[in-house]
Amino acid sequence: MAQPDNKKFFENLSGAGKAIAVLTSGGDAQGMNAAVRAVVRMGIYVGAKVYFIHEGYQGMVDGGDNIKEAKWESVSSMLQVGGTVIGSARCKEFRTREGRLKAAHNLVQRGITNLCVIGGDGSLTGANLFREEWSGLLEELVQQGLINEEAAQTYSALHIVGMVGSIDNDFCGTDMTIGTDSALHRIIEVVDAIMTTAQSHQRTFVLEVMGRHCGYLALVSALACGADWVLIPEMPPEVGWEDQMCQKLSENRAGKKRLNIIIVAEGAIDSNNKPITTDCIKDLVVRSLGFDTRVTILGHVQRGGTPSAFDRILASRMGVEAVLALLEASVDTPACVVSLCGNQAVRLPLMECVQMTQEVQKAMDEKKFEDAVRLRGRSFENNLNTYKLLAHRKPDSELPNSSFNVAVMNVGAPAAGMNAAVRSAVRVGISEGHKMFAVNDGFEGFYKGQIKEIKWGDVGGWTGQGGSILGTKRTLPAKYMDKIAEQMRIHNINALLVIGGFEAFECLLQLYEARSSYEEFCIPLCMLPATISNNVPGTDLSIGADTSLNAIVETCDRIKQSASGTKRRVFIIETMGGYCGYLASVGGLAAGADAAYIFEEPFDIRDLQSNVEHLTEKMKTSIQRGLVLRNENCNENYTTDFIYQLYSEEGRGVFDCRKNVLGHMQQGGAPSPFDRNFGTKISAKAMQWISKKLKESYRQGRVFANSEDSACLLGMRRRALVFQPVMQLKEETDFVHRIPKEQWWLKLRPLMKILAKYKTSYDVSDSGQLEHVVRNRTKELDAAI
């Protein structure tokens, strides 16, 4: 097939004759192994030699067995392991020129001129200094007679690409660092567990979370569990905060809440830059309120455990991107960092990011806290603004005076994170002065009149609940338009927020199209995508998909482990998703699958045959286990049973087979931190949009909105959150199979194949380009998450 001109395929990028070394440095973070695995496999795939440097910079200085060539099998079964398998150490010697000279000698001896460094800002700064000194170090080695002129010429340029591995998420220029999401998983697991015991005894818990001088973990975990109070270094509390906090705690208790949660970042300070400790908060609560109070310091638990699905995918994408960046680097290319901005891979000059990260600390030292928050980046700032909106209820006298009634409802199948979105909508709506109404059981409940006012306190503790508390049904409104319009009139509903999956999208279209017959639907209508299948047009991600991916990955890990110590075994696993292959493909990337069969990428018996042969070849090496995912509707004839029987027959004598249908466990469970946070933030944004539309469309004492842009879906598109008219999205949708016509994640499929040792074509036209760190954000970026 001729390849279109506008695409750039990486077959043109060869690693032949190049040597790449990968090291992990500084504090460990979950997901580092996934990054190492991706670098090794992508490097070998493009024909380069790849080396492990064990024990970080210390191993580079010591040389010897610390620098070993990596083979394809060397990184097998490390995707699900936390920490870093190749070891990490803090190295004083590398900080001296003598240490760096030894390191340079060790690299030149092996012909290594490409370094991939996975670590925090200290590790990356060290790498950049090494690169700047490189030519001088080589000259010195020539003078000392340790290398010859020819070697100095051949290896004259050192290329460096960094990936940020740090649970603190304290590195400017990147939305998420490798390890942050997993650390949030650990924190939320603990908070959820503590909440049950706190509730039993009516206790107050003060939790200290890590993060050094960065409050990201504390802030996002406070958002994700609905904490009563949070203390972070970037936003020291105002003078007199002690009384305010105690008043908030006692108000919550008076409002029938049996527990209080206070989250403290380990670097929390007051406005005089004095540390605020967990013990001083405990003493304050006991002294002022007499509440039974306990302190829990989470400590290194946050660094441990297996990486989350998000971290595995992030690290795998970044690892492949890092190899591409090294292959494309020229002598003049600055050392860069590969990272994610929204859902888009980007490359940023390493030193610009480091400089900005250091500026945050400087701003905090100088008590310029607003600057510090701005420098932390848009993701941090948006989290902080959302927290402020939701945490503290203003007294009624301070609320804006609005006479609008806004209804919120769930439609379709339940998805984890729906309740967090409802809570956020209700509280932001009340803060905007609206009267909020909850509709039970979707449009079925709507036409039956199951609509009642919902107050601030009614949604307390909802963020951590799975499923849909309001109740949800797949019923579409088309048959019941008269009754729904009547209920709209009875309750005087002026705007509607629908949270759900593909059915919710169809509902909004039906309401929009019924506007010509029913004036009641000429109101602002907004939809938030919430479905595990992630099959809604107009958005890259849906609420609930991350929780589901984690359930799939966790199960795949267990299933693979069940075969350890037995003979070679291949598992065939069926995932949900309707006709959308998102869960199978992205789950396959995160679980290290050998193949993922999906509807969007048609396959025939020859493909199945070549997959079996490929696995048979792999099993003849030291690899013991294989994993094959199949989307439930990928093909009506090649069923899970068929594929299981085919693999069993063809693999006879080499491996045996087992099959698993994961079923509804993919839909249940407590929402992941990502889904809680995503649901909370997009819902708050949707309510602000509704308020704006209500003001714009209020004329002569009533709301009237019938333009296309008053019926929108709020979705995440690459880097930003965008409101898109549902009528425009109609064109982008395949209604027969209930999927968008174009899906971004299909570009991730070649990654899974490459990492599973298949020869494939990989379009790199979408890979990151070198950009500069944005300081004064434009309006467009302000719209981002």
Side-chain angles (χ1 to χ4, degrees):
M1 189 182 87
Q3 288 164 357
D5 296 337
N6 62 338
K7 289 197 172 180
K8 186 172 72 171
F9 286 85
F10 86 152
E11 284 83 307
N12 316 330
L13 295 170
S14 168
K18 294 187 176 179
I20 299 170
V22 58
L23 73 141
T24 54
S25 173
D28 69 324
Q30 308 96 320
M32 278 183 167
N33 291 325
V36 170
R37 170 182 178 267
V39 170
V40 169
R41 292 198 165 169
M42 185 68 170
I44 292 172
Y45 186 88
V46 297
K49 262 189 169 183
V50 186
Y51 290 88
F52 289 137
I53 299 179
H54 290 272
E55 312 308 334
Y57 288 121
Q58 190 66 55
M60 202 195 290
V61 172
D62 295 344
D65 277 350
N66 287 307
I67 306 176
K68 276 192 186 144
E69 192 177 342
K71 294 278 177 281
W72 189 273
E73 292 79 29
S74 325
V75 290
S76 176
S77 299
M78 68 193 264
L79 187 60
Q80 64 270 32
V81 181
T84 163
V85 171
I86 57 174
S88 176
R90 308 203 183 261
C91 173
K92 284 194 177 135
E93 214 176 333
F94 191 75
R95 293 183 179 177
T96 66
R97 190 171 167 91
E98 293 72 46
R100 292 192 289 275
L101 191 67
K102 282 186 197 170
H105 186 214
N106 288 327
L107 294 188
V108 171
Q109 279 179 315
R110 293 164 179 81
I112 299 168
T113 55
N114 296 285
L115 265 190
C116 181
V117 182
I118 307 164
D121 55 347
S123 311
L124 299 177
T125 312
N128 192 62
L129 175 62
F130 190 40
R131 178 178 171 275
E132 284 170 358
E133 288 183 356
W134 184 255
S135 51
L137 293 170
L138 292 197
E139 273 173 39
E140 215 171 305
L141 290 170
V142 171
Q143 284 162 13
Q144 292 181 14
L146 291 168
I147 62 170
N148 57 27
E149 276 290 351
E150 193 187 341
Q153 285 300 310
T154 312
Y155 308 121
S156 59
L158 177 69
H159 303 300
I160 284 178
V161 173
M163 279 184 268
V164 192
S166 160
I167 65 164
D168 305 335
N169 205 22
D170 58 353
F171 195 79
C172 293
T174 170
D175 278 1
M176 280 293 254
T177 58
I178 296 166
T180 306
D181 187 65
S182 302
L184 285 170
H185 271 260
R186 295 301 93 80
I187 295 169
I188 294 305
E189 281 159 18
V190 171
V191 175
D192 284 356
I194 276 176
M195 278 180 157
T196 55
T197 171
Q199 200 141 14
S200 308
H201 297 277
Q202 298 199 37
R203 281 192 175 134
T204 296
F205 268 84
V206 185
L207 287 106
E208 180 182 294
V209 301
M210 282 171 128
R212 280 194 314 178
H213 305 298
C214 176
Y216 184 89
L217 289 178
L219 177 59
V220 175
S221 48
L223 252 184
C225 71
D228 298 274
W229 202 266
V230 67
L231 292 151
I232 57 171
E234 294 85 349
M235 188 190 67
E238 298 157 7
V239 177
W241 65 272
E242 294 92 341
D243 295 340
Q244 281 178 332
M245 184 183 80
C246 290
Q247 189 186 342
K248 170 93 194 294
L249 298 181
S250 59
E251 274 172 16
N252 283 352
R253 283 291 173 93
K256 301 195 184 68
K257 194 174 174 189
R258 292 177 60 89
L259 76 157
N260 303 110
I261 300 278
I262 301 165
I263 293 183
V264 188
E266 63 180 347
I269 47 174
D270 64 17
S271 48
N272 297 316
N273 282 16
K274 285 209 173 70
I276 299 176
T277 65
T278 45
D279 284 336
C280 85
I281 291 171
K282 176 188 170 176
D283 295 344
L284 171 71
V285 174
V286 172
R287 196 173 60 244
S288 306
L289 301 169
F291 290 170
D292 186 359
T293 306
R294 298 283 189 274
V295 169
T296 300
I297 294 172
L298 268 62
H300 282 75
V301 163
Q302 296 158 84
R303 274 192 197 285
T306 62
S308 65
F310 183 95
D311 272 331
R312 296 182 197 195
I313 294 153
L314 171 68
S316 300
R317 283 176 75 179
M318 296 303 99
V320 168
E321 186 69 35
V323 173
L324 293 177
L326 286 170
L327 293 182
E328 290 173 9
S330 66
V331 183
D332 308 321
T333 316
C336 76
V337 173
V338 291
S339 76
L340 265 196
C341 181
N343 191 27
Q344 175 73 31
V346 292
R347 298 177 193 172
L348 299 164
L350 192 150
M351 284 324 285
E352 281 186 26
C353 298
V354 168
Q355 228 169 337
M356 201 150 147
T357 304
Q358 288 165 350
E359 277 179 38
V360 176
Q361 194 52 52
K362 193 167 163 246
M364 278 157 61
D365 292 342
E366 292 170 2
K367 299 187 184 178
K368 295 179 180 166
F369 295 108
E370 278 179 16
D371 290 355
V373 168
R374 209 180 60 251
L375 287 164
R376 277 267 182 249
R378 64 199 183 111
S379 169
F380 189 92
E381 206 170 351
N382 282 314
N383 281 315
L384 187 54
N385 292 338
T386 310
Y387 180 78
K388 285 178 184 170
L389 265 179
L390 295 171
H392 308 301
R393 187 181 176 181
K394 292 177 186 161
D396 290 347
S397 55
E398 286 178 33
L399 291 175
N401 190 11
S402 139
S403 52
F404 298 124
N405 295 345
V406 180
V408 60
M409 64 193 297
N410 294 153
V411 170
M418 275 182 163
N419 300 322
V422 171
R423 167 186 177 265
S424 176
V426 168
R427 291 197 169 176
V428 173
I430 290 169
S431 301
E432 303 260 319
H434 310 315
K435 210 178 208 182
M436 296 301 296
F437 286 83
V439 181
N440 294 109
D441 297 336
F443 279 100
E444 195 171 303
F446 207 127
Y447 84 79
K448 290 177 179 169
Q450 294 170 6
I451 304 165
K452 60 178 192 299
E453 192 182 343
I454 187 164
K455 297 281 200 346
W456 185 281
D458 297 338
V459 290
W462 278 29
T463 41
Q465 305 281 328
S468 161
I469 296 172
L470 289 184
T472 180
K473 291 271 198 302
R474 294 178 185 270
T475 315
L476 298 179
K479 289 183 195 164
Y480 311 101
M481 286 300 185
D482 287 344
K483 288 180 176 174
I484 291 169
E486 188 188 344
Q487 290 299 333
M488 287 257 190
R489 271 197 311 279
I490 293 170
H491 295 279
N492 188 23
I493 302 296
N494 307 118
L496 180 63
L497 178 66
V498 182
I499 301 163
F502 199 87
E503 286 91 356
F505 173 62
E506 291 178 302
C507 291
L508 229 62
L509 279 172
Q510 289 181 1
L511 293 178
Y512 176 82
E513 284 161 359
R515 278 176 169 180
S516 51
S517 314
Y518 301 92
E519 272 197 8
E520 289 82 357
F521 304 142
C522 295
I523 57 172
L525 303 169
C526 186
M527 175 201 161
L528 300 178
T531 164
I532 66 164
S533 308
N534 198 24
N535 63 332
V536 178
T539 187
D540 288 358
L541 301 168
S542 305
I543 299 165
D546 183 72
T547 306
S548 190
L549 275 180
N550 277 295
I552 291 169
V553 167
E554 226 169 275
T555 312
C556 287
D557 286 354
R558 286 187 183 185
I559 287 172
K560 274 162 89 173
Q561 203 175 23
S562 72
S564 61
T566 63
K567 55 188 180 192
R568 294 183 164 83
R569 183 164 285 172
V570 172
F571 293 97
I572 315 292
I573 293 175
E574 182 186 300
T575 66
M576 288 170 95
Y579 283 97
C580 177
Y582 176 81
L583 290 178
S585 299
V586 182
L589 180 60
D594 294 275
Y597 299 117
I598 61 167
F599 168 76
E600 292 89 342
E601 203 173 274
F603 58 96
D604 58 21
I605 195 73
R606 287 180 294 280
D607 297 311
L608 290 171
Q609 182 65 34
S610 74
N611 290 156
V612 175
E613 286 165 9
H614 184 264
L615 256 175
T616 311
E617 282 309 303
K618 264 170 102 172
M619 291 285 185
K620 287 176 182 167
T621 65
S622 58
I623 288 171
Q624 296 278 319
R625 291 185 289 285
L627 187 64
V628 174
L629 268 57
R630 177 190 174 274
N631 161 266
E632 59 185 352
N633 287 350
C634 66
N635 187 301
E636 59 182 328
N637 295 316
Y638 299 139
T639 60
T640 303
D641 280 334
F642 176 89
I643 293 174
Y644 161 68
Q645 285 161 352
L646 177 82
Y647 272 72
S648 298
E649 182 58 37
E650 297 294 323
R652 193 179 296 241
V654 182
F655 57 79
D656 65 358
C657 265
R658 294 286 183 274
K659 64 172 182 188
N660 273 72
V661 176
L662 298 185
H664 280 76
M665 57 148 291
Q666 295 162 84
Q667 220 166 33
S672 67
F674 181 91
D675 279 332
R676 297 180 192 198
N677 194 6
F678 184 54
T680 300
K681 282 201 287 194
I682 66 168
S683 191
K685 200 170 178 62
M687 282 310 299
Q688 289 168 327
W689 177 86
I690 284 175
S691 296
K692 187 169 127 259
K693 287 286 171 201
L694 282 168
K695 285 186 192 114
E696 284 171 13
S697 57
Y698 186 70
R699 286 185 197 86
Q700 291 148 5
R702 69 185 191 122
V703 172
F704 186 80
N706 67 346
S707 58
E708 268 195 8
D709 69 352
S710 63
C712 280
L713 178 147
L714 172 56
M716 166 114 173
R717 279 274 170 105
R718 293 169 82 98
R719 297 191 186 195
L721 282 176
V722 247
F723 289 94
Q724 302 145 97
V726 286
M727 281 310 284
Q728 289 174 20
L729 293 175
K730 200 175 173 181
E731 303 304 309
E732 298 175 22
T733 310
D734 167 356
F735 283 94
V736 176
H737 299 104
R738 303 161 63 86
I739 52 174
K741 288 177 184 168
E742 282 190 18
Q743 304 188 83
W744 70 275
W745 51 265
L746 286 168
K747 287 186 175 151
L748 295 183
R749 280 185 63 83
L751 295 195
M752 184 190 77
K753 291 176 186 172
I754 288 165
L755 297 176
K757 216 174 184 175
Y758 282 95
K759 287 285 172 219
T760 186
S761 189
Y762 179 47
D763 171 15
V764 294
S765 52
D766 202 41
S767 68
Q769 302 304 314
L770 194 64
E771 302 177 13
H772 290 286
V773 179
V774 183
R775 279 163 188 272
N776 299 329
R777 295 166 330 288
T778 57
K779 269 285 191 301
E780 176 200 352
L781 276 177
D782 255 343
I785 203 167

